[in-house]
Amino acid sequence: MAVMGIDIGGSGIKGVPVDIETGEFAGERYRLPTPEKAKPDDVAKTVAKVLKHFEWAGLAGAGFPAAIRNGTALTAANIHQTWIGTNVEKLFGEATGCPFYVLNDADAAGIAEMRFGVGRERQKGVVIMITIGTGLGTALFVDGKLVPNTELGHIEIRGKDGEKRASDGARQKKNMSWEEWGGKFNEYLSRMEALFWPDLFILGGGISKNADQFMPYLKLRTEVVTARLLNQAGIIGAALYADMCSRA
């Protein structure tokens, strides 16, 4: 069975049908640029164009860069403020004519990684996945069950929002060396370790492909591994979430 998975990003909106039994894409991923300012109606129209590309009329899920409760956006850290209070599921459903389920984008990536990635064999204890990009997204799992909307990228480090010091966006903005950034990211992970004492950190997002550049600077008691699904995780997790919700 295939379900449409959508990943709403700051620069692009990507989608493809996903075989939820295997986690594999059932086609070629299609990407459109995220509209300037990323306001609700404009984003919804772009999502509709992605589904139209596949002539899709069935179940769909989307990973969205905000805390989501009952389909409604509660935050807007890296998107337009008019999203706060918007029922994203209803908006996308009306724009596409498809049943839509929406969750936090890092939670979507985490669900995929725990089902088909390195977390598959780690269903006991506490696992934290961190998606490292423009910001820091987090997904927290306890005995394989998701604790949604943790938003732990915003914990305070030295008086600043954690992602403003330790995200890949911060690394690029400040032109940090891998050693300098690795030290700041290690400080962030150390704070997370002291708060949650997880059994495993999973590092995802685009920067994970450069893990050999910064992993030597991570000095933690917790095991740290890189994600297996990389940038495919958000799309896969969104499709899995929609399937789970439709069966509930």
Side-chain angles (χ1 to χ4, degrees), residues 3-246:
V3 174
M4 177 63 66
I6 300 287
D7 184 21
I8 311 291
S11 61
I13 295 175
K14 305 168 286 290
V16 67
V18 176
D19 184 329
I20 59 170
E21 298 299 325
T22 65
E24 296 179 354
F25 287 178
E28 292 293 326
R29 189 187 72 163
Y30 184 64
R31 181 188 185 278
L32 291 174
T34 301
E36 186 177 358
K37 297 185 179 180
K39 292 183 178 181
D41 286 344
D42 294 334
V43 170
K45 290 176 182 177
T46 304
V47 169
K49 290 178 182 178
V50 173
L51 267 64
K52 185 177 181 180
H53 171 80
F54 293 99
E55 300 181 347
W56 191 260
L59 183 63
F64 193 80
I68 301 288
R69 185 167 63 201
N70 298 323
T72 297
L74 304 178
T75 61
N78 297 304
I79 53 176
H80 200 274
Q81 294 295 304
T82 52
W83 281 102
I84 297 177
T86 297
N87 188 316
V88 187
E89 291 182 345
K90 180 179 179 182
L91 179 67
F92 288 176
E94 290 177 347
T96 64
C98 296
F100 241 103
Y101 294 94
V102 177
L103 76 164
N104 173 266
D105 53 356
D107 287 348
I111 286 173
E113 198 65 38
M114 292 297 285
R115 175 77 67 88
F116 295 114
V118 295
R120 187 169 186 167
E121 306 302 324
R122 305 298 292 267
Q123 298 295 310
K124 294 293 184 182
V126 176
V127 176
I128 299 177
M129 180 166 176
I130 303 166
T131 57
I132 311 163
T134 303
L136 293 174
T138 61
L140 172 64
F141 295 85
V142 180
D143 292 338
K145 297 184 182 300
L146 174 69
V147 179
N149 297 315
T150 48
E151 295 286 344
L152 296 172
H154 301 293
I155 62 174
E156 183 180 319
I157 307 289
R158 297 180 184 263
K160 293 185 177 181
D161 189 309
E163 69 175 25
K164 294 188 183 303
R165 289 176 53 83
S167 66
D168 190 39
R171 181 187 68 85
Q172 295 184 44
K173 182 178 180 181
K174 298 177 182 178
N175 195 29
M176 287 186 264
S177 67
W178 286 112
E179 182 176 5
E180 182 183 4
W181 181 81
K184 291 182 182 297
F185 188 61
N186 185 74
E187 185 177 28
Y188 168 77
L189 290 180
S190 295
R191 179 64 60 85
M192 294 275 279
E193 187 176 59
L195 290 171
F196 298 99
W197 293 110
D199 298 279
L200 179 69
F201 284 122
I202 302 174
L203 307 183
I207 201 174
S208 58
K209 65 179 178 292
N210 295 310
D212 60 329
Q213 299 286 339
F214 64 83
M215 289 286 269
Y217 305 112
L218 303 185
K219 311 298 181 183
L220 303 157
R221 281 181 274 185
T222 303
E223 182 183 359
V224 183
V225 299
T226 55
R228 184 177 301 156
L229 302 178
L230 303 177
N231 288 335
Q232 296 181 347
I235 291 175
I236 296 169
L240 291 173
Y241 180 74
D243 179 63
M244 288 187 288
C245 290
S246 70

